[in-house]
Amino acid sequence: MRAVVHDRYGGPEVLRLEEVERPVPKEDEVLVRIHATTVNRSDCGMRGADPFFTRFFTGLRRPKRRILGMELAGEVEAVGAEVTEFDVGDQVFGVKGSGAHAEYVCIRESAGLAHKPAGMAFEEAAAVCDGASIALACLGKADLREGRSILIYGASGSIGTAAVQLAKHFGAHVTAVCGTKALDLVSSLGADAVIDYTQEDFTTNGETYDVVFDSVGKHSFRRCRHSLKPGGIYIETDLGFMWHVPILALSSRWIGDKRVTLPIPKYSKEDVLFVKELIETGKYRAVIDRTYQLEDVVEATRYVETGQKTGNVVLTLNGVVR
Ligand SMILES: NC(=O)c1ccc[n+]([C@@H]2O[C@H](COP(=O)([O-])OP(=O)(O)OC[C@H]3O[C@@H](n4cnc5c(N)ncnc54)[C@H](OP(=O)(O)O)[C@@H]3O)[C@@H](O)[C@H]2O)c1
């Protein structure tokens, strides 16, 4: 099968298309023929071994897993003997640690895999699970419900566009902060108020929130803390300058009444099924910025690494490009 491989850490240019062995499903695994996948920030982090300590998990000198790619949408090609939930020909979508930048991937039946929402294109289904799973892990710390308020900074990113929709679903009052080009999009996702960060600094407008969620790793607790109500929670997605966020997360448990958290995301079937239900009831959609062919993975990756994408960047394996 064709797959995008890399044998050393480095820039996008270390990625190349190669013919490799097609994987064979184990007893509890499903073999999926992939129609669409994505390039996300975690793929880029793993490829560049950034931050450095990730090498302890991905291979000290060179990558242990040659094929990146976390999100997938496609059709079941074969199933292991113990698989009961999926049959050959089923249309599925999901997320796993790596391996989806290829024509086929094996994924455990019990992992983050579900039947694709009816009527949803493969390209869109591929772009659902990563942003939504991370946003769910982050918002899980926020106790969102009616009467609670959240400000989501970086609302135009993959995690941000997911977080706006999920926070609205949980009943919170959502203020979204993004750049000028994404204002209409973010409003259309259900935000109650939208602030253009190029025009207004939310930290000086006197408004306060129960939760501030920096979904793009560009803000800081120090600058946001006066925008939090007493007892408020600041949620981060990044380790921050000199890894100060985990230290703040620990120290804020004992010092002051405002807490900092850096949730560690998990990818579960439960979360995939939860978002699938929201999609099927019209409460969630994936935001796609650009779609590339698998062959153009280097170009797609360079675009993702600009940090300017709106929502998600899709790779397609069946020729559909927009
Ligand atoms: N915790 C985890 O496990 C985990 C996993 C994956 C990623 N992450 C982190 O999560 C963060 C977000 O990932 P993502 O994939 O959602 O990001 P993304 O999609 O790449 O975010 C891009 C968006 O961020 C906006 N943006 C860029 N600079 C900004 C700024 N200074 N202020 C406000 N918005 C800005 C851009 O809008 P404009 O062009 O308008 O600025 C763009 O729409 C990253 O820091 C990433 O490292 C964490």
Side-chain angles (χ1 to χ4, degrees):
M1 67 169 186
R2 287 181 313 144
V4 177
V5 302
H6 70 309
D7 293 312
R8 62 187 169 93
Y9 296 116
E13 67 283 354
V14 301
L15 300 169
R16 65 176 194 283
L17 213 56
E18 198 177 278
E19 284 289 328
V20 301
E21 288 274 307
R22 189 207 275 197
V24 177
K26 298 192 183 106
E27 300 214 313
D28 61 345
E29 286 182 340
V30 172
L31 176 71
V32 179
R33 180 174 172 229
I34 296 178
H35 291 313
T37 176
T38 60
V39 179
N40 64 27
R41 296 281 290 260
S42 301
D43 296 323
C44 297
M46 284 188 268
R47 190 214 65 241
D50 179 23
F52 187 86
F53 79 84
T54 56
R55 287 178 185 241
F56 292 107
F57 306 99
T58 58
L60 220 43
R61 295 183 57 201
R62 61 181 64 87
K64 280 190 282 199
R65 294 181 186 163
R66 299 178 76 212
I67 306 173
L68 297 170
M70 299 176 67
E71 294 177 288
L72 60 115
E75 282 171 77
V76 174
E77 181 81 8
V79 294
E82 289 170 10
V83 170
T84 55
E85 191 184 337
F86 301 100
D87 278 321
V88 171
D90 286 357
Q91 300 191 342
V92 293
F93 77 127
V95 59
K96 63 170 291 191
S98 61
H101 289 170
E103 284 180 307
Y104 295 90
V105 71
C106 285
I107 177 166
R108 279 200 334 277
E109 173 181 43
S110 59
L113 186 73
H115 289 97
K116 182 168 75 63
M120 192 178 216
F122 287 111
E123 289 75 23
E124 201 187 341
V128 168
C129 294
D130 181 48
S133 299
I134 298 175
L136 279 171
C138 293
L139 298 182
K141 304 281 176 190
D143 184 25
L144 293 184
R145 53 193 146 81
E146 224 158 289
R148 300 263 293 167
S149 58
I150 181 169
L151 178 136
I152 299 172
Y153 188 79
S156 54
S158 173
I159 300 171
T161 51
V164 169
Q165 299 178 81
L166 293 167
K168 270 318 292 176
H169 170 70
F170 293 132
H173 183 279
V174 177
T175 300
V177 184
C178 61
T180 315
K181 72 174 195 292
L183 290 173
D184 288 347
L185 167 79
V186 170
S187 292
S188 78
L189 298 176
D192 299 289
V194 184
I195 295 174
D196 181 343
Y197 74 82
T198 67
Q199 303 296 319
E200 183 182 340
D201 178 358
F202 76 88
T203 63
T204 58
N205 68 7
E207 296 288 333
T208 55
Y209 308 89
D210 295 302
V211 183
V212 172
F213 176 23
D214 177 9
S215 70
V216 80
K218 300 279 185 190
H219 226 286
S220 74
F221 176 62
R222 188 177 57 77
R223 284 188 289 147
C224 288
R225 65 188 193 282
H226 298 301
S227 303
L228 280 171
K229 292 182 181 172
I233 304 168
Y234 178 74
I235 305 170
E236 225 346 317
T237 50
D238 231 295
L239 295 166
F241 180 64
M242 307 261 297
W243 296 16
H244 72 277
V245 175
I247 297 163
L248 268 177
L250 277 178
S251 58
S252 68
R253 288 184 186 187
W254 296 289
I255 303 165
D257 72 335
K258 295 171 182 173
R259 280 201 47 206
V260 176
T261 77
L262 176 68
I264 298 174
K266 61 176 178 51
Y267 298 100
S268 67
K269 186 182 286 289
E270 194 189 346
D271 283 354
V272 174
L273 289 172
F274 178 76
V275 186
K276 177 184 163 170
E277 196 179 325
L278 294 186
I279 293 166
E280 289 178 335
T281 50
K283 294 181 184 150
Y284 190 96
R285 68 184 163 97
V287 173
I288 296 174
D289 183 341
R290 294 186 185 178
T291 301
Y292 295 82
Q293 304 264 16
L294 184 70
E295 293 79 348
D296 299 323
V297 64
V298 172
E299 196 188 329
T301 301
R302 287 206 171 106
Y303 180 57
V304 171
E305 292 195 347
T306 62
Q308 304 290 300
K309 72 178 162 66
T310 303
N312 301 280
V313 168
V314 172
L315 294 176
T316 181
L317 286 87
N318 56 13
V320 181
V321 172
R322 62 176 154 163

